[in-house]
Each structure stands twice: as structure tokens, then as C-alpha cells.
Amino acid sequence: GCGPSRGPAMDLFGDLRRMNKRQLYYQVLNFAMIVSSALMIWKGLIVITGSESPIVVVLSGSMEPAFHRGDLLFLTNFHDDPIRAGEIVVFKVEGRDIPIVHRVIKIHEKENGNIKFLTKGDNNEVDDRGLYKEGQNWLEKKDVVGRARGFLPYVGMVTIIMNDYPKFKYALLAVMGAYVLLKRES
């Protein structure tokens, strides 16, 4: 017929109405299982690695060519391991939300065994003293979130795109939500 064409949104709601409650319930449950599994894996990684964020995404180019924006780093943070010069650490600075991934360039050990150290991005001209909080010249172990143990190149690009373009994040979530709801059980 030549009636008014229904938009894709109308079709979607028709589909959802036709899908019985049990299927919907099943899909919601399914989705909840996926989310809780992911959270459990994350918590498990925190316990195993000793790091509060076992996986981080490199957000800046300050460590090129060792790491590029979007590389996914796996961290561990065992307190017994001595920190060595040349190691790549992820540290947090007071007043900054995002941890920084840089290399340890100098270590200063005190008599009581406490270690202080200085970091620098491989690609930066100067060391990180300008990034530390005012009056802080060295980092201590308590500032370290973890130490890089391995990485996957560019996997974290999705995170960067989501940070740079918030609309993309909502589009992605919408697509995933629609996929979960409309995936028919074959």
C-alpha cells in the first residue's frame, strides 16, 4: 500500500512488544551476568596483581616510542619488589584524577630503606617534577598505582575515542543495548 511509512523506531517498539516477557527477562538477566562477570574478573585482577587499577590505557604520547596513545597496559604492584631505574610505573599525583605512565629515571634510597624516585616521559624534554604536587620533588611507593608488566597495542583506542567524543560513547552503548535486546535465541 501507499500508507505513511513507519520509521525504524516504530518497528523496534513493535518488535519489543511482540517479544514476550520471559524473553525480555532472560535477556536482562543475560546482560546482568555479563556485567557481573566483568566486574568479578576486574576484582580478581586487583587481588592477583596487587594494583588498584590492573589495566590502564595510555592517554598521552609522552612515552612514545615505548608506548603509544591507546596502548593497554597490564600492571602489577607488589610492594616487596624493589623499584628500579628504567622501570615504567603508573603513578597518581594529588589533585589529578588520571594516573600518569612514565619511566623511573633516578632513585634515591634513604638509610631506613625508604625509596624516593623521579620519573620522566620518554618523549618529554624534562622530568616530571613539574607534574608532582607543589613542593614535591620525588615520588614514593605510596604514589605508585602499578608497574607496567605487559601491553596490548592500541586496544584502548576505544576508551580514548569515548573520552574525546562523549557522543560516541552513548551511540556505542545504544548499539550494544539494542543488540542484546534484539538478539533472537536461535
Side-chain angles (χ1 to χ4, degrees), residues 3-128:
S5 65
R6 286 165 44 189
M10 290 301 294
D11 287 347
L12 179 68
F13 287 120
D15 278 349
L16 288 180
R17 263 205 302 277
R18 279 194 291 279
M19 189 188 283
N20 60 32
K21 284 207 177 69
R22 183 181 294 155
Q23 257 180 315
L24 188 68
Y25 178 69
Y26 178 75
Q27 293 293 12
V28 168
L29 212 62
N30 207 0
F31 190 65
M33 286 289 289
I34 293 168
V35 172
S36 58
S37 305
L39 284 172
M40 274 156 56
I41 291 169
W42 182 251
K43 286 285 185 213
L45 280 172
I46 290 177
V47 173
I48 295 165
T49 61
S51 171
E52 64 191 66
S53 37
I55 298 173
V56 294
V57 175
V58 178
L59 295 175
S60 79
S62 66
M63 279 300 289
E64 291 175 6
F67 298 124
H68 296 274
R69 276 191 78 185
D71 288 356
L72 203 65
L73 299 186
F74 299 98
L75 310 181
T76 59
N77 199 15
F78 302 119
H79 285 283
D80 306 342
D81 278 3
I83 287 177
R84 294 190 172 37
E87 254 192 322
I88 293 166
V89 295
V90 179
F91 61 91
K92 264 188 140 145
V93 180
E94 272 179 49
R96 279 173 181 261
D97 291 340
I98 297 172
I100 300 168
V101 182
H102 279 173
R103 195 182 297 276
V104 175
I105 54 166
K106 265 195 199 136
I107 288 187
H108 178 70
E109 195 164 354
K110 293 166 142 175
E111 280 95 59
N112 62 5
N114 277 0
I115 295 175
K116 295 181 161 199
F117 49 94
L118 180 62
T119 53
K120 175 184 173 297
D122 289 0
N123 204 11
N124 292 353
E125 296 288 310
V126 293
D127 64 42
D128 288 346

Side-chain angles (χ1 to χ4, degrees), residues 83 114-117 136 138-144:
I83 287 177
N114 277 0
I115 295 175
K116 295 181 161 199
F117 49 94
Q136 179 181 7
W138 301 87
L139 288 178
E140 292 172 45
K141 264 197 170 168
K142 65 173 172 47
D143 301 313
V144 173

